[in-house]
Amino acid sequence: SQKIEQNSEALNIQEGKTATLTCNYTNYSPAYLQWYRQDPGRGPVFLLLIRENEKEKRKERLKVTFDTTLKQSLFHITASQPADSATYLCALDVKTGANNLFFGTGTRLTVIP
Amino acid sequence: DVKVTQSSRYLVKRTGEKVFLECVQDMDHENMFWYRQDPGLGLRLIYFSYDVKMKEKGDIPEGYSVSREKKERFSLILESASTNQTSMYLCASSLRGSHEQYFGPGTRLTVT
């Protein structure tokens, strides 16, 4: 069956450290992989998209890698800040008609001051 | 800035009632989506629409229907609400050919 797993439900790290979140998937062939941020009581907000032929993508303090052989994406936040505390969702885009997304359950990140 | 609005933030309905959830986007997006989000299950797609009057079933359409009479508006209908439809409902939109989705703030529906 198809599955998207994000490594842990919750992750606590110290301010200033690098947070690394993992997204593993089985039985999908995504053309793209996206990461979203969700704050409590709010809808997800798009952060980054990486294509299947890209190995790495960066945006400010964020870095995403995508390994289609391992079927894994890593999401890094460098120099983490308490304001980075949120739930982070990975989403697979399998390039169907309306670009449907299949979401993981998310990892709740807490950055401790 | 893209704005997606949903008619209610919180809603409490009784079992058997007909429930309408409204979603409006202001950026002329062709694609619109309805998800529900439950703890441990993540976001699951209920229905989507890629044009006015067009609709496609997502992963969990049972017990729901949708309506898209105007490009900016996408409605989710629970014909006869049941307690297992208690959930957070999220609407999203995207531009045709684009991949990122823009989400509304969500409606937390409780069915008693």
Side-chain angles (χ1 to χ4, degrees), chain A:
Chain A
S1 64
Q2 296 173 316
K3 203 185 292 185
I4 304 168
E5 290 180 326
Q6 295 193 236
N7 59 323
S8 55
E9 200 173 300
L11 182 66
N12 296 335
I13 63 162
Q14 210 67 38
E15 182 176 4
K17 300 289 187 188
T18 296
T20 299
L21 285 63
T22 304
C23 177
N24 294 294
Y25 59 92
T26 54
N27 295 327
Y28 285 100
S29 296
Y32 309 88
L33 190 144
Q34 302 184 34
W35 284 88
Y36 286 76
R37 169 184 173 138
Q38 187 174 23
D39 291 288
R42 293 178 176 267
V45 174
F46 172 79
L47 295 174
L48 277 169
L49 176 150
I50 186 165
R51 291 173 168 74
E52 60 181 334
N53 60 354
E54 294 178 313
K55 296 293 184 190
E56 183 179 297
K57 197 84 167 274
R58 290 176 187 260
K59 180 182 175 182
E60 297 171 355
R61 293 183 296 111
L62 308 180
K63 184 178 89 170
V64 172
T65 63
F66 191 14
D67 188 327
T68 54
T69 303
L70 288 179
K71 297 186 183 296
Q72 180 181 78
S73 175
L74 299 179
F75 177 79
H76 306 273
I77 306 174
T78 58
S80 59
Q81 304 165 0
D84 296 325
S85 298
T87 295
Y88 292 87
L89 307 171
C90 71
L92 305 186
D93 184 341
V94 297
K95 208 177 179 184
T96 55
N99 296 111
N100 299 351
L101 295 179
F102 297 89
F103 283 85
T105 53
T107 296
R108 189 172 65 252
L109 174 69
T110 302
V111 180
I112 302 160

Side-chain angles (χ1 to χ4, degrees), chain B residues 72-87:
Chain B
E72 68 271 18
R73 189 179 297 268
F74 192 34
S75 303
L76 180 70
I77 303 151
L78 286 66
E79 295 290 342
S80 177
S82 64
T83 54
N84 63 11
Q85 293 177 310
T86 292
S87 187

Side-chain angles (χ1 to χ4, degrees), chain A residues 9 32 34 36 38 40-46 49 51 87 89 93 95-106, chain B residues 9 31 33 35 37 40-43 45 48-50 59 88 90 94-95 97-106:
Chain A
E9 200 173 300
Y32 309 88
Q34 302 184 34
Y36 286 76
Q38 187 174 23
R42 293 178 176 267
V45 174
F46 172 79
L49 176 150
R51 291 173 168 74
T87 295
L89 307 171
D93 184 341
K95 208 177 179 184
T96 55
N99 296 111
N100 299 351
L101 295 179
F102 297 89
F103 283 85
T105 53
Chain B
R9 292 302 305 274
N31 303 326
F33 308 84
Y35 296 89
Q37 186 174 30
L41 295 175
L43 277 85
L45 183 64
F48 64 97
S49 168
Y50 52 87
D59 297 322
M88 170 70 90
L90 289 158
S94 71
L95 201 57
S98 174
H99 301 277
E100 59 186 272
Q101 293 187 10
Y102 295 85
F103 283 82

Side-chain angles (χ1 to χ4, degrees), chain B residues 11-13 19 78 85-89 107-111:
Chain B
L11 210 51
V12 180
K13 295 291 181 181
V19 181
L78 286 66
Q85 293 177 310
T86 292
S87 187
M88 170 70 90
Y89 289 87
T107 296
R108 186 164 292 283
L109 172 67
T110 302
V111 182

